[in-house]
Amino acid sequence: MSHTRFSVSQDQAALRQLWQLVFEDSDAFLDHFFLAHYDPQHALVLEEDGAVQAMTFWFETQLVIPGVQPVKAAYLYAVATHPDYRGRGLARQLLDEGAQLLRGLDFELMTLVPSEPTLHLFYQDRGFHECFINAEYEMTPVKPPFQLPGVSLEPVDPQTYSSAREGLLDGTPRLTYSSPAMAYQDGCCKLSGGGLYVGCTPAGPVCLTLERSPENMMLAKELLGSHDALMLLGGEFYQLAPNLRWSVRCPVGFAPPGANVKKFGMLRWLDPVVAENWDYDSTAYLGLAFD
């Protein structure tokens, strides 16, 4: 009979093989995760007779709602079932048994971002609800005729970024990220030539999480700042990726007119009483997916 357990270091080769089989990521990406960020105690494995049938990893986060005690949340990542074992309800078993294991670690919530729109229904059937929304829009930064004084955009370490991010998002219901989660996000962005940036302008600070997409566009996985601050940084944005179009994600409160508001992430409460009584029409900002 299959069962879910925490990973151990000896699982690494099997987990890497399953990841590559399901997601087809590059060796460089897999090296980044498994050599630098894989923590056996932050992974769940469903196995039977020693065979890994399904897996997921998680990063520690918090759901922050103004005026309420922060909620300890596990951000699930790379949920995968081996193709040979699909159609047997193993994903539900992994999530249900994993929920009990995570409750034992005092987690109150699981969150995730479906990798494809069609998977929202898949996870909805497994107890998750669409409670995270983002605004999305596109832009093409242009080269200014001259350098503006008092304006800069610099790459920063994850701790500096997190501090600036929390300041900009103060008062916004949101997911916050642990140091290991932000370090992994930084490394993922750098694999494509991006990174974490903080901008300084006379109109206030800006936070930018940037990577280059396979379509040779720039993906601003998060862009925070006032309209005036972003306008002042247009030249700095241009220098990062001359003449490339940007796809931008941000909280609804930071979005320009005409931006699309989309359901993005999902949550599942681990306490049945909270799950039954939670207002699922309420929304929060997730932003930094590990896609």
Side-chain angles (χ1 to χ4, degrees), residues 17-38:
Q17 184 179 33
L18 177 55
W19 186 313
Q20 192 159 41
L21 178 66
V22 173
F23 301 113
E24 300 181 343
D25 286 315
S26 67
D27 285 337
F29 187 94
L30 291 168
D31 286 346
H32 169 59
F33 181 78
F34 282 100
L35 298 183
H37 295 282
Y38 167 63

Side-chain angles (χ1 to χ4, degrees), residues 23-202:
F23 301 113
E24 300 181 343
D25 286 315
S26 67
D27 285 337
F29 187 94
L30 291 168
D31 286 346
H32 169 59
F33 181 78
F34 282 100
L35 298 183
H37 295 282
Y38 167 63
D39 179 348
Q41 289 301 300
H42 284 72
L44 295 168
V45 175
L46 189 148
E47 70 168 2
E48 183 175 2
D49 297 330
V52 174
Q53 300 174 323
M55 68 178 187
T56 189
F57 306 85
W58 82 86
F59 289 99
E60 185 169 334
T61 60
Q62 287 187 324
L63 176 64
V64 177
I65 301 173
V68 178
Q69 186 74 17
V71 174
K72 186 177 178 181
Y75 180 115
L76 302 187
Y77 179 53
V79 181
T81 301
H82 194 289
D84 292 346
Y85 302 107
R86 289 176 182 167
R88 295 168 46 183
L90 298 184
R92 179 181 292 279
Q93 181 181 346
L94 173 71
L95 295 170
D96 288 346
E97 294 178 353
Q100 296 305 311
L101 292 172
L102 290 169
R103 283 195 74 183
L105 298 178
D106 297 323
F107 283 94
E108 301 176 66
L109 186 68
M110 297 191 301
T111 67
L112 52 76
V113 176
S115 59
E116 298 177 8
T118 56
L119 289 176
H120 280 254
L121 290 176
F122 174 85
Y123 285 111
Q124 184 176 313
D125 186 50
R126 285 149 184 83
F128 286 81
H129 296 262
E130 295 173 318
C131 292
F132 294 99
I133 59 172
N134 286 352
E136 298 183 6
Y137 63 96
E138 291 190 359
M139 69 178 188
T140 303
V142 296
K143 185 177 181 180
F146 53 86
Q147 178 69 33
L148 296 173
V151 172
S152 65
L153 182 68
E154 302 293 338
V156 296
D157 60 78
Q159 183 176 356
T160 300
Y161 185 91
S162 293
S163 178
R165 180 182 194 266
E166 287 304 292
L168 282 164
L169 290 174
D170 185 40
T172 300
R174 65 197 181 276
L175 207 66
T176 66
Y177 298 81
S178 63
S179 295
M182 288 305 305
Y184 179 61
Q185 182 71 256
D186 184 39
C188 289
C189 291
K190 286 177 177 175
L191 284 174
S192 67
L196 306 178
Y197 300 85
V198 170
C200 296
T201 80

Side-chain angles (χ1 to χ4, degrees), residues 252-266:
V252 174
F254 287 80
N260 295 319
V261 177
K262 294 186 176 181
K263 296 174 180 178
F264 190 65
M266 307 182 76

